[in-house]
Structure formats: C-alpha cells, structure tokens
Amino acid sequence: MTTDVTKTGAAARPGLLKRIRNSDVWWSFTRSKSAMIAAVILAVLVSAAVFAPLIAPQNPYDAAQLDMWKAELPPIWEPTGEWPYLLGTDTQGRDMLSAILYGTRISIVIGLFSVVLSLLIGMTAGLCAGFFGGVVDNLLMRFGDITLSIPTILIAILVSTVVRQMLPDDLREIGAAAVLVFAIALSSWVQYARTVRAQTIVERNKEYVQAARLLKVPARRILAHHILPNTLTPVLVAATLNFGMAILTEATLSFLGIGMPPGQPSLGTLIRIGNQFLFSGSWWIVLFPVIQLCLLVVVVNILGDWLRDLLNPKLR
C-alpha cells in the first residue's frame, strides 16, 4: 500500500509540473524578461528579509549589541571601513546591512497585512453594496466617496495619530506596526469596494444567482460561493499593485515620525534618521535604505503590471 501511494505521489508531481509549464501564466512569465528579473530580485529581497537573523552580523533591535565606538563607520570599501560592517554603521553604531534587512522585513509585513486587511474590508463592502443595493449601497458608496475626497496619506496620518494617542504610553511602540496596518488599510479599501461592487452588480443578475435565490439559498452562501470567486481576478491585480503603494505609505509615515519607532526601524525610519546626516558626510546612512526601498517597490510594481497585462484579455 505504501509503495502504491509513493508511486502515485511521484507520478502526480511531474504531472503538476507539466501543467504549470504548459499554462498560459508560465508561457507569459518566461517570455517577459522584466517579470523574470523582477521575480528573482523580489525573491532575493524577501528571502534575505526572512532569514535576516541568520544573515545579519548583528540584531539592530538589541541595544546590547550596539557599539557607540563604532558609530558612523563608512562602508567596507572606504579606507576607514571595518569588518563586518559591509555597508557601514549609523550614529548609534548599528550595522546598516543588518538594519536594512530587518527594516525590509518590517516594511514587507506591514505592507502585506495592510493590503490583506484593506482587501477584506473593501471586498465585504463591495459585495454588500452590489448585492443588496438600495440604502446599503448608497451609504457604503457615499462613505467611500468621502474617503476618496481626502488624500490617502492624510487619512493614514489622521488615523495613525488618533489611534496612537488612544493607546497607553507603554503600548505605543509595541503596537506601532498594528496601528500602521490599520491606518493604511482604512485609507485604501475604497478601490477594492468599487471593483467588487461593479462585478457583483453584473453577477447578481445572471441566471445561476437567480436560480440560487429561487431555491432559498442564504445570501451569505450566494456571496461566498457564487459571486465572490468571479470578482477575484481584478481585485488580486489591484492588490498586487497596491502592495508597493502600501510599502511606500508606511515609509512615508515612518519618515514623518508617526510610524515605526527608532528602536524598531523600518526602511522609512532608517531614511528619516539618515536624512539628518545627509550633508554631514555620512551619506551611506540614508543612501542604502533609499536604494532598498526603491528596488523593492519597483520590482513589485513590475510584477503587478505583468499580472495586469496577463489577466486582461484585451491585451493578449
């Protein structure tokens, strides 16, 4: 019996790989050099961030590992550079490579969770507005219009500031990441809501939905099992493109001083700290985090553009 199961699993794996290689997604991906290069770079950045404790020379969040005597050391290729500080150190003696790896991990996590939360809020609002219509639709969409009338960054600043002030002093630094996720999500849910609402209005008038209503299928089941799967394609494309924007929004908030604290810096916090010493000769403190942030956002946007073109039949 065990031998048969093993043979079945071994036979299934080549079949799965063959289906992947023969799929339209793989064909499009292998013929897009920009998408392949972006995917490789993103995989390297994410892997380095995930395995930062194994790669980084020090833990930049552990004050005991910081050495003030090593503050503002230049990169290793400079005459006064020292090993193992490949990219130099900041004003606190924090290794810049370690800080960038750990900061990238924070930026990616905050960007990912904020997109997921805004996706859940927007999809729920869009499904309810499109399916029930009437007062529910008007209330949700008018609230969305009000949200869109205010710049995204201002909403994020307002929400972040208010929530931080509501927290006790001892929880503000601990809950900084959660506050950022909440603030970014509340400022970017409307796009998903409008997209899902438009798709829901189209789907609710189709025969299979009308048949489900005649059979007295509960509304939540119709929404979850019939309408929602048909709205996922444009929403996932928007989520991929908004992932890079969420990372930039987090960096902006941290740069303005209402994001991650200096003790747990994200890329935006590192840029804010380094910006103070840009013209004092310590250029590496701000330059390398900026390069990392730009590289991360650019490759995510390239993959988002490729996915949008792939799933748009008009562009095939």
Side-chain angles (χ1 to χ4, degrees):
M1 176 64 88
T2 304
T3 304
D4 294 339
V5 172
T6 304
K7 290 181 178 180
T8 302
R13 284 192 293 271
L16 177 61
L17 294 176
K18 185 177 180 179
R19 286 198 299 272
I20 293 175
R21 289 196 298 267
N22 294 333
S23 65
D24 292 340
V25 176
W26 183 257
W27 184 89
S28 175
F29 179 74
T30 53
R31 280 157 181 77
S32 176
K33 292 183 179 180
S34 59
M36 294 179 64
I37 295 173
V40 171
I41 295 175
L42 182 61
V44 171
L45 295 179
V46 173
S47 300
V50 171
F51 297 104
L54 302 177
I55 302 174
Q58 66 176 208
N59 182 357
Y61 301 157
D62 185 3
Q65 297 187 27
L66 305 184
D67 187 358
M68 291 297 296
W69 293 103
K70 303 293 184 180
E72 296 190 64
L73 287 177
I76 190 66
W77 57 84
E78 294 287 335
T80 55
E82 294 185 14
W83 179 265
Y85 309 111
L86 298 179
L87 301 182
T89 61
D90 64 6
T91 56
Q92 300 179 18
R94 184 163 43 201
D95 175 56
M96 287 305 302
L97 176 61
S98 304
I100 289 172
L101 293 179
Y102 277 80
T104 302
R105 180 164 61 174
I106 289 180
S107 296
I108 291 175
V109 169
I110 292 176
L112 180 62
F113 276 92
S114 62
V115 168
V116 171
L117 181 58
S118 62
L119 192 62
L120 292 176
I121 297 173
M123 290 178 65
T124 303
L127 285 171
C128 294
F131 186 78
F132 296 107
V135 177
V136 176
D137 185 15
N138 285 329
L139 287 176
L140 290 174
M141 290 301 99
R142 296 303 75 76
F143 183 71
D145 292 340
I146 294 173
T147 303
L148 287 178
S149 67
I150 307 173
T152 301
I153 191 64
L154 292 183
I155 296 176
I157 291 173
L158 176 63
V159 174
S160 177
T161 304
V162 171
V163 175
R164 284 170 64 90
Q165 292 300 319
M166 293 172 60
L167 293 175
D169 293 340
D170 55 340
L171 293 180
R172 288 180 182 176
E173 288 196 5
I174 299 176
V179 172
L180 284 174
V181 169
F182 184 67
I184 297 172
L186 285 186
S187 64
S188 57
W189 63 273
V190 183
Q191 179 181 356
Y192 306 117
R194 287 190 162 187
T195 303
V196 173
R197 173 182 175 271
Q199 291 290 113
T200 303
I201 292 175
V202 173
E203 296 295 327
R204 75 178 182 185
N205 295 320
K206 292 187 176 179
E207 293 181 354
Y208 72 93
V209 175
Q210 298 297 332
R213 282 181 162 181
L214 290 175
L215 294 174
K216 304 297 182 182
V217 177
R220 63 178 180 274
R221 185 174 180 84
I222 295 176
L223 290 172
H225 295 277
H226 298 287
I227 296 180
L228 179 60
N230 293 308
T231 66
L232 289 180
T233 298
V235 168
L236 292 179
V237 173
T240 305
L241 293 171
N242 285 341
F243 178 50
M245 183 58 65
I247 294 175
L248 277 180
T249 304
E250 181 279 324
T252 302
L253 293 175
S254 296
F255 182 81
L256 295 174
I258 54 177
M260 294 302 297
Q264 296 179 345
S266 66
L267 292 177
T269 309
L270 292 174
I271 295 172
R272 175 170 64 87
I273 295 172
N275 185 60
Q276 303 172 13
F277 305 94
L278 178 61
F279 299 105
S280 65
S282 302
W283 49 268
W284 57 89
I285 301 178
V286 66
L287 178 62
F288 295 128
V290 167
I291 293 175
Q292 179 80 345
L293 178 63
C294 292
L295 190 61
L296 180 61
V297 174
V298 167
V299 296
V300 169
N301 288 340
I302 290 175
L303 288 175
D305 290 338
W306 165 77
L307 185 61
R308 180 195 58 196
D309 296 342
L310 172 67
L311 298 179
N312 189 347
K314 295 181 180 179
L315 298 177
R316 288 188 177 185

